Amino acid sequence: MKLQSINLNQNYKIQKNKNTQTRPNNIDPAKTPTNNKLACYPSGYYLNFGAMKKSQFTGLDLFVVNKFKAPISKFNSDEDLQNWADKTIKTLLNETQLDGRWEETREEREKTIEEWTNYVQKENDAYTKTIQLLVLDSILKETNENNDTIPPALNKGVLADTLAQILDAVSANKNYQCNFNKLYQNNLKNFYLDKTNGDEKPEDLKDFTGWIEIKSKINDEKNFEDNVNKLKTLSHPAWCTKSFNARPYLEKGDFHVFYENGKPKLGVRFIGDRIEEVQGEKNDSIIPFEYYNTFLAYARENNLKPSKNLKTEMQNTKEKFEAIKTAKKELKEAIQNKDYETILKHFGFNVEFDENDLMILDEYKKPAKSFNLADIGVNEDDLFKNIVRIKGDANFSGTAVRNTGNLKHIEGSVVLANSKIQAMPRLISAYNKQKTGYNDANSDLHYSLKEENLKTIANELKDAVENKDYAAILRYFDINFEYDEDGLMVLDEFYEPWGFRYSEIGVNVEDLLKNVSEIKGKFYFLTDRIKNIGSIKNIGGEIKDYSASELYISKKVSENKKEGIELIAKNSGYFIDSDENGITVKKFDKKLEKALIEYGIEPDEIFEHITRIDGNADFRESKITDIKGLTYIKGDVDIRKSNLKNSDFIDVEFGEEEE
């Protein structure tokens, strides 16, 4: 944009935009289906006292300034804004991720992005740098290496309409903001729906319900490229036809899409004149049973023939119908009465109850491969208001659970992939090694759930934390305890909450442990670093916390060498048994020796306490010179490059013991 300056005095100048209220002359009105109002954004006249103000921007410039929070205090002219936009575009293009999860993604992204950049940066000289930034940022920002999202197809007329739509909105409301990509894609979808259905379209295309036929290259070669873009646009986001498979599929056959209230529900893929595949929203190669009759009626009405593979799938869907019908019939009364115990037991789940009459399940998953509980009329969110613990895995894939209600503990793994989970508000402990799946923004979902969980718990424990009421905090996390004769707590177990550290809600763990004398069971702590284990004298179960276990083991070693060695062997996976005669380990090697020495056990103290080795004994490069307490080795012995000799083993028995 060229600007003329008129010097009025040395303090300020007035600038005029020569192109104000003109339409870009290279946008063909014939290619703009509904709206010919797009103009260069008007800047009009403005006073410039050095740093620019937001009030000096109008039209699409103002939209971009607001959207990107442009540093206008550093701008002295419109040229500075355009230069800033240009630099931002270059950074954006450099940082755009071309690789996805499939090799084909890169090729498709490169081709589509090149088409967009060539058009907005080279072919259309009416597009300023700010317009280029708005368009390119919007279509590129959803691409990353963890998905296969392809930028939407470029339709120059729809693009012109979308920009004009925003320009009109900004003229009416200077603070107007929108998601450009979403607006453009919605306009593009409406364009294809409008073009497809002619006079039969409803007044609002979001209400459209019906079938759309997209012709293959064989049946409509002239419009093949447009049909590829049409299929990409009208496909469900989970379908591969949304990206790189639109072209190869249309090269082999037609594609039909069923829309319901403006949303794609079924995709029907042909090879030649036969239907090869029917996909639903889940993209799981299973015909969704709720649309099975819709598909069947359409196929019969149009005399469409299924392939051999599809006939098998149709039979599976029919069987699924029968299974759901049978389950509904058998559980009719239980479903009506919300008798969840009966429903769960019917499908083989083991159900127990806690003292509050909340259910404890052995696991949770879909009751059958072909359907979930919601398919037979069970409200799974209401069900989870009655579940407090899952002893095994919780596989939410394919279920209808959105909110896990009163669920507090999952003792197995958690599967969130392909689930509808939106909240896990009361979950306080779960297996730390989460399993995630492929077609899901798993990490984002996982951590957003944890963040919401943290907020809920922090609010509910606010008073207890402020008052250092550790008993109330432990009870909240279902950690059972009793008091010893000194008034210190003896815990059944101690673990960190699911998804956050105690310190994040204000609890000082070291201060809490000053009130604890013993932990009977496991001690799982993987985040908060503990420098002092307070008054703890004994931990009976497994320890998963490097800082605490080191402190505890060091304390044990200093108090009692045998107990210290036993604990080190347990943590290292070598321990078998211990009695008054000594310790039995699975095997002995340099790894165990190193661990013992690192905790302050002298090399020749080791076999004062380890008396039996139930496997091989590898002493290579060992620092040990005395094995006087060792009485039995079941496996082989290797003393190469060690301080030991054959004669040192004269009192050691080898092999299986005689009964």
Side-chain angles (χ1 to χ4, degrees):
M1 182 177 293
K2 297 179 180 178
L3 299 174
Q4 286 186 333
S5 298
I6 304 173
N7 291 323
L8 299 179
N9 57 49
Q10 59 183 359
N11 293 323
Y12 66 89
K13 56 187 178 182
I14 188 167
Q15 298 180 320
K16 181 179 180 180
N17 176 358
K18 291 175 65 178
N19 293 325
T20 299
Q21 302 297 341
T22 62
R23 178 185 177 84
N25 57 19
N26 62 339
I27 294 183
D28 183 358
K31 294 181 180 178
T32 308
T34 58
N35 193 325
N36 295 327
K37 296 186 293 182
L38 178 64
C40 278
Y41 54 94
S43 294
Y45 296 91
Y46 57 81
L47 294 177
N48 184 355
F49 293 91
M52 298 182 72
K53 298 178 180 179
K54 191 179 290 187
S55 60
Q56 295 172 276
F57 300 96
T58 58
L60 293 176
D61 271 0
L62 176 60
F63 183 85
V64 169
V65 165
N66 286 332
K67 179 178 178 65
F68 293 91
K69 296 181 173 57
I72 58 176
S73 62
K74 299 179 181 179
F75 299 162
N76 295 313
S77 67
D78 178 76
E79 186 177 359
D80 290 338
L81 171 64
Q82 300 304 319
N83 288 337
W84 167 82
D86 188 36
K87 290 179 182 178
T88 307
I89 290 169
K90 290 175 181 175
T91 301
L92 170 69
L93 292 174
N94 285 334
E95 294 178 351
T96 296
Q97 178 58 250
L98 296 176
D99 290 330
R101 297 172 300 185
W102 295 94
E103 291 181 10
E104 297 91 339
T105 299
R106 184 181 182 90
E107 181 181 350
E108 195 73 16
R109 283 178 177 174
E110 284 180 341
K111 183 174 63 177
T112 309
I113 291 170
E114 183 179 11
E115 186 179 7
W116 275 97
T117 53
N118 282 342
Y119 178 67
V120 301
Q121 291 191 310
K122 299 174 183 177
E123 297 176 28
N124 196 327
D125 58 9
Y127 283 177
T128 62
K129 295 297 182 183
T130 44
I131 294 178
Q132 293 174 28
L133 174 60
L134 169 62
V135 173
L136 293 176
D137 173 76
S138 296
I139 65 142
L140 295 178
K141 66 182 180 181
E142 293 184 8
T143 62
N144 64 64
E145 62 185 355
N146 297 316
N147 65 32
D148 296 296
T149 301
I150 308 296
L154 171 61
N155 183 299
K156 298 173 184 178
V158 174
L159 175 60
D161 271 356
T162 305
L163 289 168
Q165 191 176 347
I166 294 174
L167 183 61
D168 286 346
V170 175
S171 299
N173 175 10
K174 64 182 181 180
N175 295 316
Y176 172 78
Q177 284 293 301
C178 70
N179 183 320
F180 178 88
N181 190 14
K182 185 176 180 180
L183 182 62
Y184 172 78
Q185 292 206 52
N186 188 61
N187 289 340
L188 187 63
K189 183 176 77 171
N190 286 343
F191 167 73
Y192 280 120
L193 285 173
D194 189 16
K195 186 177 178 181
T196 297
N197 297 288
D199 296 335
E200 297 180 6
K201 68 181 185 297
E203 290 185 10
D204 193 335
L205 289 171
K206 73 180 182 181
D207 297 326
F208 171 69
T209 295
W211 286 91
I212 299 166
E213 297 182 24
I214 304 171
K215 296 294 184 182
S216 66
K217 187 174 185 178
I218 299 169
N219 293 329
D220 188 10
E221 186 171 2
K222 180 182 177 181
N223 296 305
F224 178 63
E225 290 301 325
D226 190 49
N227 284 335
V228 169
N229 289 336
K230 180 178 178 181
L231 177 54
K232 288 180 181 179
T233 301
L234 297 180
S235 290
H236 190 280
W239 299 345
C240 57
T241 48
K242 192 71 175 176
S243 54
F244 52 79
N245 265 341
R247 182 178 301 277
Y249 280 176
L250 283 184
E251 287 175 343
K252 296 178 181 178
D254 294 349
F255 202 99
H256 297 186
V257 183
F258 176 68
Y259 262 69
E260 184 178 67
N261 297 324
K263 295 180 180 179
K265 298 295 182 179
L266 285 178
V268 179
R269 178 169 68 91
F270 287 75
I271 293 182
D273 62 351
R274 289 191 176 270
I275 303 173
E276 180 63 23
E277 179 185 13
V278 180
Q279 285 282 15
E281 293 179 280
K282 294 179 181 178
N283 197 36
D284 55 5
S285 298
I286 296 174
I287 304 173
F289 81 94
E290 62 266 41
Y291 293 102
Y292 180 73
N293 286 332
T294 301
F295 162 70
L296 209 59
Y298 180 70
R300 287 171 178 168
E301 182 182 341
N302 294 277
N303 198 28
L304 304 176
K305 304 297 182 183
S307 67
K308 184 178 180 180
N309 289 337
L310 185 63
K311 286 180 180 178
T312 301
E313 177 55 36
M314 290 173 69
Q315 180 61 33
N316 292 339
T317 304
K318 184 178 179 181
E319 291 173 2
K320 175 181 176 179
F321 264 117
E322 293 302 319
I324 291 173
K325 184 178 178 181
T326 300
K328 282 184 172 181
K329 182 178 179 180
E330 293 176 349
L331 292 168
K332 181 179 179 180
E333 188 175 340
I335 293 170
Q336 289 176 344
N337 297 329
K338 297 183 179 181
D339 183 356
Y340 297 129
E341 180 185 4
T342 297
I343 294 168
L344 290 168
K345 286 183 175 179
H346 176 86
F347 291 111
F349 294 100
N350 184 59
V351 182
E352 302 172 19
F353 289 88
D354 72 355
E355 65 276 7
N356 297 313
D357 286 331
L358 293 175
M359 289 188 289
I360 300 170
L361 308 185
D362 57 334
E363 62 176 339
Y364 191 78
K365 60 182 180 180
K366 289 167 57 177
K369 184 179 180 181
S370 58
F371 63 88
N372 60 34
L373 288 175
D375 291 333
I376 64 170
V378 175
N379 184 325
E380 290 191 70
D381 283 354
D382 189 65
L383 166 65
F384 268 84
K385 292 176 183 177
N386 299 275
I387 298 173
V388 68
R389 182 184 292 267
I390 297 172
K391 290 183 176 181
D393 295 344
N395 185 347
F396 294 105
S397 178
T399 70
V401 185
R402 296 179 184 275
N403 187 313
T404 56
N406 283 312
L407 179 65
K408 288 187 175 184
H409 306 281
I410 300 173
E411 296 179 24
S413 61
V414 182
V415 181
L416 299 176
N418 301 316
S419 73
K420 295 185 178 181
I421 295 289
Q422 296 176 353
M424 305 181 88
R426 309 205 69 78
L427 190 63
I428 56 178
S429 74
Y431 180 48
N432 206 52
K433 191 175 183 180
Q434 306 298 331
K435 293 182 180 178
T436 54
Y438 191 73
N439 299 317
D440 200 15
N442 297 300
S443 58
D444 292 342
L445 170 64
H446 195 100
Y447 288 109
S448 67
L449 289 171
K450 289 182 174 183
E451 284 297 314
E452 290 302 314
N453 177 270
L454 171 58
K455 291 176 185 176
T456 300
I457 292 173
N459 182 59
E460 293 181 350
L461 281 175
K462 184 178 178 181
D463 290 342
V465 171
E466 288 179 355
N467 297 323
K468 294 186 177 182
D469 187 350
Y470 297 128
I473 293 168
L474 292 171
R475 289 191 192 100
Y476 182 92
F477 290 108
D478 285 349
I479 296 172
N480 296 320
F481 63 90
E482 55 190 20
Y483 291 96
D484 65 13
E485 57 188 14
D486 298 319
L488 296 175
M489 291 185 285
V490 177
L491 312 185
D492 282 359
E493 58 185 347
F494 194 41
Y495 51 79
E496 63 185 349
W498 182 71
F500 63 91
R501 301 183 297 275
Y502 277 109
S503 58
E504 290 183 90
I505 60 172
V507 176
N508 184 320
V509 177
E510 292 179 9
D511 190 58
L512 185 155
L513 292 177
K514 291 177 183 177
N515 300 276
V516 177
S517 64
E518 182 180 0
I519 299 171
K520 293 180 179 179
K522 66 183 180 183
F523 187 10
Y524 279 13
F525 252 73
L526 301 171
T527 50
D528 273 322
R529 301 300 291 176
I530 301 171
K531 297 180 181 179
N532 191 319
I533 57 170
S535 302
I536 295 179
K537 297 176 182 177
N538 184 57
I539 299 175
E542 184 180 13
I543 301 175
K544 282 191 177 178
D545 178 288
Y546 295 112
S547 59
S549 63
E550 288 173 2
L551 291 166
Y552 177 63
I553 292 171
S554 296
K555 182 177 180 181
K556 276 293 183 184
V557 168
S558 65
E559 293 174 351
N560 186 306
K561 286 287 194 303
K562 181 187 174 187
E563 290 184 6
I565 292 172
E566 181 181 323
L567 192 55
I568 295 166
K570 281 182 180 178
N571 274 22
S572 303
Y574 289 79
F575 180 78
I576 290 183
D577 194 16
S578 177
D579 57 26
E580 66 277 4
N581 296 317
I583 300 167
T584 302
V585 294
K586 295 177 183 178
K587 62 179 180 178
F588 188 86
D589 56 23
K590 192 167 184 63
K591 181 182 174 183
L592 177 55
E593 180 179 336
K594 182 179 178 182
L596 293 166
I597 292 173
E598 283 180 349
Y599 278 107
I601 306 292
E602 293 296 328
D604 288 342
E605 289 181 317
I606 294 173
F607 286 99
E608 290 180 7
H609 304 286
I610 294 179
T611 57
R612 295 170 62 86
I613 301 173
D614 206 42
N616 295 334
D618 187 349
F619 292 101
R620 284 176 295 177
E621 300 181 355
S622 173
K623 297 180 180 180
I624 297 169
T625 63
D626 192 338
I627 57 167
K628 56 190 173 185
L630 186 60
T631 62
Y632 174 73
I633 300 175
K634 184 175 181 179
D636 298 329
V637 179
D638 193 334
I639 58 174
R640 287 174 292 174
K641 296 183 180 180
S642 75
N643 297 315
L644 298 173
K645 303 181 293 295
N646 289 337
S647 58
D648 292 320
F649 294 85
I650 193 169
D651 294 324
V652 177
E653 185 177 353
F654 292 92
E656 296 289 347
E657 280 191 309
E658 295 288 341
E659 289 292 338

